[in-house]
């Protein structure tokens, strides 16, 4: 946490940043033309770039991408202020109020001593919150990617008490779903196979959650691993003056195993 002297420097630099953004909004033709709707796709892109920097543990890019996301937050607040809807200070006040309200175990006499107890407390508090979630799953955005959404659905249901009593109990469900998937694939029913494939993925995500594995992080690790190994195959094919399409599967598999051994 920043010391008070550091906070003075922070506030000075933040004030400078606000002045810069205000000047751009007033004088730059591109910035003047932007609306929340035009910025929204860029915000999504910047968020993914931030996530990539975190995954790659690249702290230089981490810092840069945090700045880009912060820029968008300030811009949104500036645009809302121009329409006299709210301003950046209102955002700060609302966030502070929400954090205090959602942490009664810190700011009042409610007890919650483990992360699991805190998670369950949060869900209960959110249901009581003014304009908050009316249902347990109501706060999950429809626009979330399906894999992340599945994890959040399961996590929220668990906090409401709907979960396996023992984490090992999830495995019969995983095996059941993969067998149902295989059955539909063998029948050739594409529509039912798709539905069963979704059930299988959902059950697998649930297993990861129960064992403390974030499926998004796990899948991205595998994505990066595959990219690295496949790039190795492609680079070595070029060294041999070969086109990937002209190589046999055994040749590519051999290079794959070489890449794997170097990890």
């Amino acid at each position: 946490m920043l010391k008070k002297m550091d906070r003075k420097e922070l506030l000075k630099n933040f004030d400078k940043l606000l002045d810069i953004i205000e000047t751009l909004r007033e004088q730059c033709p591109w910035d003047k033309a932007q609306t929340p709707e035009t910025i929204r796709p860029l915000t999504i892109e910047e968020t993914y770039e931030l996530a990539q920097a975190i995954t790659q543990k690249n702290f230089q890019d981490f810092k840069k991408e945090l700045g880009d996301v912060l820029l968008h937050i300030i811009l949104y607040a500036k645009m809302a202020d121009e329409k006299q809807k709210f301003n950046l200070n209102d955002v700060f006040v609302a966030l502070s109020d929400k954090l205090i309200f959602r942490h009664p175990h810190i700011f009042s006499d409610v007890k919650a001593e483990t992360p699991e107890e805190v998670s369950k407390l949060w869900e209960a508090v959110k249901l009581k919150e003014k304009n908050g979630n009316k249902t347990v799953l109501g706060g999950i955005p429809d626009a979330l990617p399906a894999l992340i959404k599945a994890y959040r659905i399961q996590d929220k249901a668990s906090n409401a008490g709907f979960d396996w009593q023992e984490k090992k109990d999830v495995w019969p469900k995983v095996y059941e779903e993969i067998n149902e998937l295989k059955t539909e694939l063998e029948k050739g029913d594409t529509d039912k196979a798709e539905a069963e494939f979704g059930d299988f993925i959902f059950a697998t995500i649930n297993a990861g959650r129960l064992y403390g594995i974030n499926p998004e992080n796990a899948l991205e690790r595998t994505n990066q691993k595959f990219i690295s190994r496949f790039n190795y195959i492609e680079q070595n094919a070029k060294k041999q003056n070969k086109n990937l399409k002209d190589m046999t599967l055994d040749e590519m598999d051999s290079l794959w195993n070489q890449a794997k051994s170097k990890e």
Side-chain angles (χ1 to χ4, degrees):
M1 185 61 69
L2 292 171
K3 296 177 182 177
K4 287 196 174 180
M5 287 297 292
D6 296 326
R7 289 191 188 187
K8 287 183 180 179
E9 185 71 14
L10 171 67
L11 291 173
K12 174 184 165 185
N13 287 323
F14 189 57
D15 195 47
K16 177 182 177 182
L17 176 61
L18 293 179
D19 286 342
I20 291 170
I21 293 174
E22 191 165 322
T23 300
L24 291 175
R25 184 67 177 162
E26 292 172 355
Q27 299 181 23
C28 173
W30 187 88
D31 286 284
K32 287 167 66 175
Q34 300 314 304
T35 66
E37 290 74 21
T38 63
I39 291 291
R40 177 181 174 274
L42 300 178
T43 305
I44 295 170
E45 181 180 331
E46 295 295 355
T47 304
Y48 275 108
E49 289 178 356
L50 172 60
Q52 179 177 326
I54 294 170
T55 300
Q56 295 177 345
K57 295 181 172 58
N58 185 327
F59 282 89
Q60 192 62 33
D61 284 351
F62 192 176
K63 177 180 68 175
K64 171 183 171 295
E65 299 304 339
L66 276 175
D68 290 343
V69 172
L70 177 60
L71 167 62
H72 284 220
I73 292 169
I74 296 172
L75 270 175
Y76 284 126
K78 174 66 179 168
M79 293 171 184
D81 192 17
E82 291 166 358
K83 293 183 180 295
Q84 298 183 330
K85 299 297 184 182
F86 63 83
N87 58 38
L88 191 59
N89 189 63
D90 295 328
V91 174
F92 290 166
V93 171
L95 178 56
S96 295
D97 289 346
K98 182 169 72 172
L99 288 172
I100 292 170
F101 184 79
R102 289 190 180 178
H103 291 77
H105 56 295
I106 301 298
F107 299 105
S108 70
D109 56 359
V110 175
K111 288 188 177 181
E113 298 179 353
T114 68
E116 292 75 21
E117 289 175 346
V118 172
S119 292
K120 290 178 181 179
L121 177 62
W122 277 343
E123 296 306 329
V125 168
K126 287 177 190 175
L127 289 172
K128 295 178 182 177
E129 200 169 30
K130 184 180 178 182
N131 298 322
N133 303 334
K134 304 304 180 187
T135 63
V136 171
L137 303 181
I140 300 173
D142 287 337
L144 276 181
L147 189 148
I148 298 173
K149 187 190 292 186
Y151 184 87
R152 294 294 294 130
I153 289 169
Q154 295 164 3
D155 192 45
K156 283 181 173 287
S158 174
N159 288 332
F162 188 70
D163 206 349
W164 301 100
Q165 288 188 343
E166 299 288 340
K167 59 186 179 183
K168 65 181 181 181
D169 295 340
V170 74
W171 293 113
K173 185 63 176 175
V174 173
Y175 302 143
E176 174 190 325
E177 296 298 352
I178 196 169
N179 286 329
E180 290 177 358
L181 170 59
K182 287 169 67 178
T183 298
E184 295 305 331
L185 288 172
E186 288 166 2
K187 288 180 181 177
D189 190 325
T190 306
D191 183 62
K192 287 185 178 179
E194 181 183 88
E196 294 298 343
F197 194 69
D199 291 346
F200 169 62
I201 294 172
F202 193 86
T204 305
I205 291 169
N206 206 16
R209 177 187 64 82
L210 287 164
Y211 283 85
I213 297 170
N214 185 295
E216 171 69 18
N217 294 342
L219 183 57
E220 183 56 20
R221 283 183 68 173
T222 297
N223 288 341
Q224 293 303 319
K225 186 165 55 180
F226 185 95
I227 290 170
S228 176
R229 292 177 185 176
F230 194 82
N231 285 346
Y232 182 87
I233 294 173
E234 191 171 18
Q235 290 162 5
N236 279 272
K238 288 179 180 178
K239 289 178 182 178
Q240 298 173 27
N241 294 317
K242 290 182 179 180
N243 189 303
L244 281 177
K245 292 183 178 180
D246 297 330
M247 296 181 74
T248 66
L249 185 56
D250 284 342
E251 287 175 320
M252 287 193 283
D253 202 39
S254 176
L255 289 172
W256 176 277
N257 287 329
Q258 283 181 32
K260 187 175 179 180
S261 69
K262 293 177 182 294
E263 292 173 353

